[in-house]
Amino acid sequence: MLTQYINEMLDLPELKIHQILSIGTDAIHIEAIPLGDKQRCPYCKSDRDVIRKGRNDARTIRHLPVFEKKTYLHVPSIRMYCTRCEAGFVWVYEFVGPKQRYSRLFRAHTVELVLGSTAAHGARMQQAPVSTVQRMHNEAVPGQCEQIYEQVWEEAKTTAALVLGVDDFAIKKGHTYNTGIHNLKGETMLDLLPGRKLEDLQAYAQAHPDFLLLNPKAVVMDLAQVYHVWISECFPNAIRIADRFHVHGYVIESVQEVRKTVQHTLSPRAKAYLKANHRLLNPPAESLGEESRNRLEVLLNYSPLLRRVWEWKEAFTTWYDCSPNFAVAKLGFERWCKQGAQIEHTAVRGTLKTMCNWKEEIVNYHQCRWTNATVEGRHNRIKAFQRRHYFTRNRNRYRSGILVECHRHRMFS
């Protein structure tokens, strides 16, 4: 193969292939030389008085694979001398950092492989030591995180009718939590803060003035009182929306509580059938196939109470999907509450009490139809990251890793 095509494959315009030293079963060794004959002095920034003063031992640099073989570049380590500054230095290559044995392209490709995977997997793919791959990842993530952080915050500040999403996720369920702040319109995660208590949230707002400079039209949250108090303090003019996913979960939970009550009154065979197919009660009927609808009808025939509470749940889904505007939605919500008040069951009464307490935030969905669906999907990615990295102890590295993980689609799109 002509060396000019090898130059194109390696994507190193500053080098010229001199010769191919060897081609083994798993590695290719290539000797390359720089195209230029001079470099600028690092002190006076001029190449007029720079001369060459011999060579040290050649540098061996690992580069991107060629034909599925490891590629090693052997480049000269040229000693340079500036007669004006009387300073000596070594030839600097752009494709590799000083005193490094891996090219910048190799390091970037390795970091890309590790994102969304593990260091062990990236090491197997690159045929490199695991510790080396982990070190490359740890060195690259802070810089990438800083770049992403500036970019997403600049987008949030300039976004018209900004919609924020706030939700927490567990580090250790029941013990330790983090809170994420998300730009729902831009599909980005703005920041990650430790804890979910009111004092933690207020401390974050005081320490980050850029957060208070945002001007969101609406903020989507679950029904945690702490979040609504915090947002009303920071953004009093923003519309506070109760997340549809969480609100609907309360209604589905009450349906399942009724199902458990009914289940104990049935024959063993009917009890087993209802228990085995109880998940059919959760999704909207229109999303089920014909076979699933037939099984659902069998379940509803077991009890008039179960049918009534299921129809109540379906009416809530219809209210969410079909209310044309805010005024109609308020009337529809009141009718739905009256429908539920006619069902005599403790779980339904408890759900109705919650709904009435959060009526304004629930109905506000019809002023600004946004949910935290993308946030929940991002939480799954964060949990996968935590499992892969075994709950990184360094807080800064943990935060940087999560922000990069949540935006890797933007980095490599």
Side-chain angles (χ1 to χ4, degrees):
M1 181 183 291
L2 297 176
T3 56
Q4 69 182 69
Y5 299 115
I6 300 178
N7 278 327
E8 294 178 3
M9 292 178 63
L10 296 179
D11 192 20
L12 298 174
E14 64 175 308
L15 295 181
K16 176 183 178 182
I17 304 304
H18 185 254
Q19 62 177 331
I20 299 176
L21 299 177
S22 65
I23 302 178
T25 56
D26 63 341
I28 300 176
H29 291 263
I30 301 174
E31 183 182 0
I33 57 176
L35 288 176
D37 57 351
K38 282 188 177 183
Q39 274 196 340
R40 291 184 177 183
C41 172
Y43 302 101
C44 65
K45 307 300 180 182
S46 172
D47 60 355
R48 182 178 303 176
D49 301 307
V50 174
I51 60 174
R52 295 193 179 193
K53 294 198 67 175
R55 298 186 179 184
N56 297 329
D57 294 335
R59 295 179 64 181
T60 302
I61 311 298
R62 175 83 183 274
H63 193 51
L64 294 176
V66 175
F67 300 125
E68 299 183 358
K69 297 178 183 290
K70 294 185 289 186
T71 303
Y72 293 93
L73 300 176
H74 298 262
V75 296
S77 180
I78 305 172
R79 296 200 303 271
M80 311 294 293
Y81 181 77
C82 179
T83 56
R84 178 191 296 180
C85 304
E86 297 184 354
F89 58 98
V90 180
W91 188 282
V92 178
Y93 293 95
E94 294 181 2
F95 79 98
V96 64
K99 299 182 181 180
Q100 291 183 353
R101 296 184 296 169
Y102 297 90
S103 68
R104 300 187 193 278
L105 288 175
F106 181 89
R107 296 169 72 91
H109 183 59
T110 302
V111 172
E112 183 178 349
L113 285 176
V114 174
L115 293 177
S117 181
T118 62
H121 173 76
R124 287 194 299 270
M125 296 293 292
Q126 294 290 69
Q127 299 181 17
V130 176
S131 59
T132 299
V133 173
Q134 185 69 55
R135 185 177 67 252
M136 291 179 182
H137 176 266
N138 292 340
E139 291 173 354
V141 162
Q144 292 173 339
C145 174
E146 184 177 354
Q147 181 180 358
I148 290 172
Y149 188 81
E150 294 177 357
Q151 181 181 356
V152 298
W153 275 92
E154 188 62 31
E155 288 180 9
K157 292 175 183 177
T158 57
T159 299
L162 175 67
V163 180
L164 296 180
V166 178
D167 200 4
D168 59 76
F169 62 91
I171 300 178
K172 185 178 181 183
K173 201 165 181 102
H175 295 273
T176 312
Y177 290 83
N178 283 332
T179 298
I181 304 172
H182 307 260
N183 176 2
L184 299 182
K185 222 172 183 182
E187 297 185 353
T188 58
M189 184 176 187
L190 295 179
D191 210 344
L192 177 71
L193 58 112
R196 60 176 182 175
K197 296 181 180 179
L198 182 59
E199 52 267 28
D200 299 328
L201 304 176
Q202 291 172 337
Y204 172 84
Q206 293 176 359
H208 296 78
D210 286 347
F211 175 71
L212 297 176
L213 294 177
L214 297 177
N215 185 28
K217 174 185 177 182
V219 182
V220 184
M221 301 161 283
D222 58 22
L223 300 184
Q225 183 70 35
V226 169
Y227 289 142
H228 289 265
V229 172
W230 181 52
I231 292 300
S232 62
E233 292 175 353
C234 297
F235 310 113
N237 297 325
I239 302 171
R240 290 182 285 112
I241 303 172
D243 180 41
R244 176 175 176 174
F245 173 82
H246 291 89
V247 173
H248 210 270
Y250 284 97
V251 180
I252 291 176
E253 186 178 349
S254 63
V255 173
Q256 291 298 334
E257 289 298 323
V258 173
R259 186 266 307 173
K260 293 176 184 178
T261 303
V262 170
Q263 194 170 279
H264 293 299
T265 65
L266 302 177
S267 64
R269 185 173 181 178
K271 178 180 178 180
Y273 190 82
L274 178 57
K275 185 175 182 180
N277 296 278
H278 71 278
R279 289 186 177 85
L280 293 176
L281 298 168
N282 297 342
E286 61 183 16
S287 66
L288 299 176
E290 184 177 355
E291 181 182 353
S292 297
R293 289 185 184 183
N294 293 334
R295 283 186 287 163
L296 174 62
E297 188 62 28
V298 173
L299 301 183
L300 298 179
N301 288 334
Y302 285 147
S303 167
L305 176 61
L306 183 60
R307 181 179 290 274
R308 288 181 65 192
V309 75
W310 177 83
E311 291 174 348
W312 178 64
K313 185 266 297 182
E314 288 291 296
F316 194 56
T317 303
T318 303
W319 173 80
Y320 257 122
D321 292 336
C322 301
S323 296
N325 54 55
F326 180 71
V328 174
K330 289 181 68 175
L331 297 175
F333 185 80
E334 292 176 359
R335 285 196 300 268
W336 177 80
C337 290
K338 291 178 181 178
Q339 179 184 350
Q342 297 174 4
I343 301 175
E344 295 295 332
H345 195 277
T346 306
V348 175
R349 287 197 295 268
T351 299
L352 279 176
K353 183 178 179 181
T354 302
M355 296 299 175
C356 293
N357 291 338
W358 294 96
K359 174 183 175 180
E360 180 182 353
E361 288 76 10
I362 294 173
V363 180
N364 276 344
Y365 169 79
H366 296 281
Q367 291 195 67
C368 187
R369 290 173 174 264
W370 285 90
T371 71
N372 275 344
T374 56
V375 175
E376 296 298 332
R378 203 168 286 136
H379 285 176
N380 292 333
R381 181 174 290 183
I382 291 172
K383 291 172 184 176
F385 171 85
Q386 292 180 156
R387 287 192 293 269
R388 290 197 308 271
H389 291 263
Y390 304 104
F391 300 93
T392 306
R393 294 177 181 273
N394 187 306
R395 175 71 194 182
N396 292 331
R397 185 174 295 172
Y398 170 80
R399 173 180 169 275
S400 299
I402 286 180
L403 290 176
V404 170
E405 181 74 16
C406 292
H407 298 94
R408 70 172 189 262
H409 64 286
R410 297 167 64 93
M411 297 167 55
F412 305 113
S413 59

